[in-house]
Amino acid sequence: MTGRGILALCLFLTLFPLRVLAAGPELSVALAADTVDITTGFSGARIDLFGIKPVAGDIAVVVSGPERELRVRRKESVLGLWINRRSVTFHSVPVYYDYALSRPEEALAPLEVRRAQRIGLDALTFDPETTEDPEDLARFQEGLIRSQQIAGLYPLKAKPVVFLNDTFFRTTLTVPPDVPTGEYTIRTFLIHDGRVSAVRETPLRIAQVGFPARVYLFAQENGFLYGLCTVLMAVMAGAGAHVFLRKD
């Protein structure tokens, strides 16, 4: 655990008994840091989450990023060549998804309960723009999840939720290097007898800072000038390489 995580844990243990007494039987959750700063050379980050559950039950934690429209293409063999023949566009797809569980999916809750809350890879469903054969759409959705896993934006399996005593728990989720910037939501579920009995939402902001943020902002506000500068830099780099490598 990082130094910032240890400090957050100490503050959590100090302040949260008062918050639990004041809030009643609510699920209490805190983050070591609610902002992830992307700087030059960013190689990923950890999200340390701490919580207190007021009653018996299991814990599931889900973090998902901005929802976008993604298209999945399927290659088919035509005259010995593999080309894209079919595609399906899905709406409301989180570009980043990760989750942690205190016990395996099948023992946590029924699939229909987890599907309603998007808890687990097998419970993820997306909104296709077509109403094709359901089995075919399922294969396209599996391809979408697999491509996101290859990109490091979806996990291969759940992270563990660790109980430090009967009520206090913690987990660590990961932010990959290529994560998109934006506003994210971390949802913590208390599950008892296969049903969700409490939910707590915690915001998480992932943003660029420093020089990359200034470049990104300039490109967004001055697209033409940014493109012109990019072309000029490419020309200057090419001319410099030509002069350097030229032989008499």
Side-chain angles (χ1 to χ4, degrees), residues 61-185:
V61 180
V62 174
V63 53
S64 58
E67 295 185 349
R68 297 178 183 173
E69 179 182 287
L70 294 180
R71 175 172 295 180
V72 182
R73 295 180 173 86
R74 176 187 293 171
K75 291 183 180 293
E76 296 181 1
S77 179
V78 179
L79 299 177
L81 299 176
W82 288 92
I83 61 175
N84 292 322
R85 289 293 303 274
R86 300 185 56 202
S87 66
V88 173
T89 299
F90 291 92
H91 305 283
S92 303
V93 179
V95 294
Y96 168 68
Y97 178 91
D98 199 3
Y99 69 114
L101 305 175
S102 61
R103 66 170 60 194
E105 286 95 327
E106 60 274 10
L108 186 72
L111 179 60
E112 57 271 19
V113 173
R114 294 188 292 107
R115 183 167 288 171
Q117 304 293 346
R118 286 185 165 184
I119 303 175
L121 292 174
D122 63 336
L124 286 179
T125 57
F126 309 120
D127 179 24
E129 68 175 10
T130 180
T131 57
E132 296 185 18
D133 175 51
E135 293 184 1
D136 200 38
L137 284 176
R139 286 191 287 269
F140 272 98
Q141 179 169 296
E142 290 173 2
L144 188 155
I145 293 176
R146 189 163 53 250
S147 65
Q148 293 295 91
Q149 288 175 324
I150 293 173
L153 297 173
Y154 281 20
L156 298 177
K157 62 180 181 179
K159 307 292 191 305
V161 173
V162 179
F163 286 98
L164 304 182
N165 55 38
D166 291 339
T167 60
F168 183 62
F169 62 90
R170 70 176 296 269
T171 188
T172 299
L173 301 170
T174 57
V175 175
D178 296 330
V179 65
T181 59
E183 301 296 328
Y184 291 71
T185 301

Side-chain angles (χ1 to χ4, degrees), residues 182-198:
E183 301 296 328
Y184 291 71
T185 301
I186 299 176
R187 292 179 298 152
T188 305
F189 302 90
L190 176 62
I191 301 175
H192 184 65
D193 289 336
R195 296 185 178 183
V196 177
S197 57

